[in-house]
Amino acid sequence: MPKKSPKKPVRKSKFSATTADKHDLYQRSVQDPETEVFFINRFFRRLRKRAPLSLREDFCGTALLCSHWVKSLKGRSALGIDIDPKVLAWGVKHNIDALGADAARVKLLQQDVRAASPGKHDVVCAFNFSYWIFKTRPAMVAYFKTVKKGLGKEGAFMLDAYGGWESHEPMLEPRAIKGGFTYVWDQDKFNPITHEIMNYIHFEFTDGTKLEKAFTYDWRYWSIPELTELLTEAGYADVRVYWDSSTDDDVDDYKPTTRAQNQPGWLAYIVAVP
Ligand SMILES: C[S@@+](CC[C@H](N)C(=O)[O-])C[C@H]1O[C@@H](n2cnc3c(N)ncnc32)[C@H](O)[C@@H]1O
C-alpha cells in the first residue's frame, strides 16, 4: 500500500521465505494501528465532542486494529468483519488471545461486509482501501448503505483513499522494514478505461529468497469526488475529506478541507456521517 517515510535497510535478519508468515510480514509492513486509533479518535471527537467507544472494522483481516482499539480505552469494544475464516483464525491466535481479559470486548464475524451485522457502532471503518474490491457504482453504493445501517445516530463512517499521478503508473516500490526484510508494493496494471487496477505485495529477504504475490489486490481505482458522490447517494448527510496538511514528511496532520495541492502520491481519509 502507498506509504511515506521509507526506512533504511537492515542487513542481518531472521526472516526468510522458507519460514515467513505472510500475515506477520503484512502487519509489520503495512499496518499502523496506533496511528489509526489516533485518527479515529481525533476525527470522531471533532464531530461529536466525545470519545468513540464502539468500532466496527470492515475487512478486518487479522483484526490488529480491533485489538489495539480495545486496549486503547476501558469501555471500548470492537467488531471485526472479514470473509476469510483463515485470516480471522490467525488474528484470534496472534492478536486477540494475547489481549487476555480484554479479548471479551472483541467479536469477530466471518461474513461478507455487505451482509447485515449486529449492533450500531460509533465508528465503522474500512481502511487500507479494501473496499475498492467493489468495482461498480451500484455495488459501492449498496456497501455504503449497509454500513449506514450499522451506524448509531452519532456514528461516523471512516475510509481511506490514495491517489496522485504516481498511483496510475506501473511501478515497484520497495521499502525496507524494521527486522530485516523488504516489502515491495507492485502497481502492476491500471486500465485507464475502467480504472481497474491490479496490485501485489511481494516480500524479499536478505538470504535471497522471495515471497512473490503474497497478496493480490484486484480493485477499481476510485477518486475522491466519485467516493464523496456515492456516499451522498447512499444517504450520508455530510461527507468530509481529511487531507494531510503537514509540511513535515515525518508528521501527519489530517484536517478537513475542500482544496489541496496536487501531489505525485497522497493518502487521504474520508469521514461520512449519517
Ligand atoms: C487488505 S486486507 C485488510 C486488512 C486490514 N484491515 C488492513 O487495514 O490492512 C483485506 C481483507 O478483506 C477481506 N475481504 C475481501 N472481500 C471481503 C468481503 N466482501 N467481505 C468481508 N471481507 C472481505 C479479505 O479476506 C482480507 O482479509
Side-chain angles (χ1 to χ4, degrees):
M1 322 262 145
K3 284 264 163 180
K4 298 164 194 171
S5 47
K7 292 167 192 159
K8 286 193 181 132
V10 179
R11 285 180 202 283
K12 281 193 184 165
S13 171
K14 62 176 178 166
F15 294 101
S16 164
T18 53
T19 53
D21 177 331
K22 71 174 193 170
H23 296 303
D24 177 42
L25 301 175
Y26 177 90
Q27 289 192 168
R28 289 170 188 268
S29 310
V30 170
Q31 293 201 269
D32 184 358
E34 284 92 0
T35 304
E36 285 174 343
V37 170
F38 173 83
F39 285 147
I40 293 170
N41 199 42
R42 190 176 188 189
F43 300 160
F44 191 88
R45 278 178 175 277
R46 183 182 275 271
L47 280 170
R48 307 300 187 200
K49 316 292 177 231
R50 69 168 175 90
L53 295 177
S54 54
L55 173 75
R56 180 178 122 193
E57 184 191 7
D58 280 359
F59 309 97
C60 69
T62 62
L64 185 64
L65 175 58
C66 290
S67 72
H68 281 258
W69 181 256
V70 297
K71 270 193 293 189
S72 66
L73 196 69
K74 287 271 171 231
R76 279 193 165 154
S77 61
L79 171 67
I81 301 182
D82 200 285
I83 207 162
D84 178 358
K86 287 199 205 114
V87 74
L88 288 173
W90 192 100
V92 170
K93 186 170 169 200
H94 296 271
N95 295 329
I96 306 303
D97 285 351
L99 290 170
D102 293 337
R105 291 186 280 124
V106 181
K107 300 261 174 296
L108 298 182
L109 258 189
Q110 188 231 319
Q111 66 172 42
D112 194 304
V113 291
R114 290 166 294 183
S117 68
K120 301 268 186 196
H121 294 85
D122 284 339
V123 176
V124 176
C125 69
F127 287 156
N128 269 327
F129 330 106
S130 306
Y131 64 102
W132 287 7
I133 56 159
F134 302 126
K135 292 187 178 178
T136 64
R137 294 172 71 91
M140 193 60 93
V141 170
Y143 169 58
F144 289 168
K145 283 185 176 169
T146 308
V147 170
K148 192 163 166 276
K149 288 187 194 141
L151 289 170
K153 261 191 274 170
E154 291 204 327
F157 180 28
M158 301 187 187
L159 305 147
D160 54 11
Y162 73 85
W165 57 87
E166 285 180 355
S167 67
H168 294 181
E169 275 175 12
M171 69 154 130
L172 288 171
E173 189 182 63
R175 184 159 49 91
I177 303 298
K178 196 171 158 209
F181 63 94
T182 303
Y183 154 93
V184 184
W185 175 244
D186 178 357
Q187 288 181 181
D188 190 47
K189 290 194 182 78
F190 179 89
N191 180 337
I193 295 172
T194 62
H195 278 201
E196 282 179 296
I197 52 180
M198 187 65 86
N199 296 333
Y200 301 103
I201 291 176
H202 317 292
F203 297 106
E204 295 173 358
F205 305 93
T206 50
D207 63 0
T209 58
K210 291 179 181 184
L211 215 55
E212 299 217 312
K213 296 188 178 173
F215 295 95
T216 298
Y217 301 102
D218 180 0
W219 288 336
R220 169 167 168 181
Y221 176 85
W222 290 94
S223 69
I224 289 185
E226 285 172 317
L227 292 167
T228 53
E229 282 164 16
L230 294 179
L231 285 160
T232 304
E233 195 177 319
Y236 290 84
D238 186 43
V239 182
R240 288 183 201 187
V241 176
Y242 283 67
W243 194 264
D244 184 6
S245 61
S246 169
T247 47
D248 179 345
D249 271 359
D250 295 327
V251 180
D252 294 332
D253 185 17
Y254 283 91
K255 293 202 173 112
T257 184
T258 53
R259 267 185 180 277
Q261 193 141 16
N262 202 10
Q263 291 166 24
W266 50 257
L267 197 154
Y269 290 91
I270 304 173
V271 178
V273 301

